[in-house]
Amino acid sequence: MPPSIAPTPRHIRFDRNELAGAFGDLGTDLPLLIGIIAASNVDSASVLIMFGLMQLFSGFWYGLPMPVQPLKAFAALVIAQKLPGNVIFGGGLAIGVVMFLLSVLGLIDGLARLVPKPVVRGIQLGLALQLASLALKEYVPADGLGGYLLAAAAFGVTVALLGNRRWPAALLVIALGGIYALVFKLDLTSSYAALGFHLPTWHTPNRADVLTGALLLALPQIPLSLGNSILATKQVLTDFFPERRITVRQISFTYSLMNLVNPFFGGVPVCHGSGGLVGHHAFGARSGGSVILYGGLFLVMGLFFSQGFAQIVQIFPLPILGILLLFESLTLAALIRDLTGSRADLLVALLVGLLCGGLPYGYLVGLVIGTAVYYAMQRGWAGLGK
């Protein structure tokens, strides 16, 4: 294996901070997984088990809090159009092949050199705006007055303890949500009925499935993957773990491997993501331990509780997930602060963020327009210097 895509040295810990960080991406992943399972009627055990195994793979490979997420544009299209499982698996295989070629041929390196840092920061800002909107518009208000009070308490705990290594904020916030669920929502009868042992089911995508999935799902997803899953994730790794020197080829290679395996075992297409990495890091994770613990949670749910997955998730209060998601978005948006020394770079990042966060296919539009505007400014064509 070429050095540029070989695994990096592993430094894995399991402690209270890694456990706290493991919950940093729940608010993003759970709704997408539930939506895909409900819309496409795919086997929930296969989805959860493979999602958990991919987390374990990423955690052990990188030794860093590099979680795995469902492909967002992919999931949105599946949910909106209620596409069947065979198209999902075909599209996942298609995007796996594309990313594999980009990584092994080194084409992803050229793209990384072409797209400037302000555009990457703008992509991160756009994602932060979308996550904050989801948290404040849908999650926090979900349980009415009781939910608002619960969210306020969780917000206060998080503000007081964020960054505290002895008393990680996320653990107390999750415990608060668990107590709320036990008191107000738990139905022991339905929880017991969800028990049962299941393994993934085998699928073989055919040529028609791959072509249909490529056109309907992979093509709309690729711009978001290049921008957020590859370039923005690489930038966050540079910000948080500069000593590790992880390359875009490594990230795109593991992205491709996961999607070359997942479709054959009923798993949904997945990626790495800057938001998930920031979420784990914001709540205390500093190694792959958080991702491995996170993957273990989904693995257990898939093996033993998959039949009642949606019902089990519904008892956990959405306002708690909303607060976790809100702080993930705030941490992600704050990364733009390193551009404040350059007015031109900051304006490019703000422009890209607004385009990504507010337009259909915004990540493609923001990537193209932001890069063009940046180079126009560099050449003095836009009339705005540093």
Side-chain angles (χ1 to χ4, degrees), residues 124-194:
Q124 294 170 323
L125 177 61
L127 179 60
L129 293 173
Q130 290 183 329
L131 294 179
S133 177
L134 178 64
L136 295 174
K137 289 184 177 180
E138 297 188 26
Y139 285 13
V140 171
D143 284 358
L145 178 60
Y148 279 114
L149 294 174
L150 182 64
F155 184 86
V157 168
T158 306
V159 169
L161 296 177
L162 192 64
N164 189 311
R165 304 290 292 175
R166 185 175 182 182
W167 297 101
L171 288 186
L172 296 181
V173 169
I174 291 293
L176 182 63
I179 293 170
Y180 180 90
L182 287 172
V183 173
F184 296 106
K185 293 190 172 186
L186 182 62
D187 180 350
L188 291 175
T189 302
S190 61
S191 299
Y192 179 76

Side-chain angles (χ1 to χ4, degrees), residues 54-70:
M54 294 303 107
Q55 304 287 348
L56 268 63
F57 163 72
S58 184
F60 281 116
W61 181 285
Y62 288 102
L64 292 172
M66 175 85 100
V68 173
Q69 303 173 316

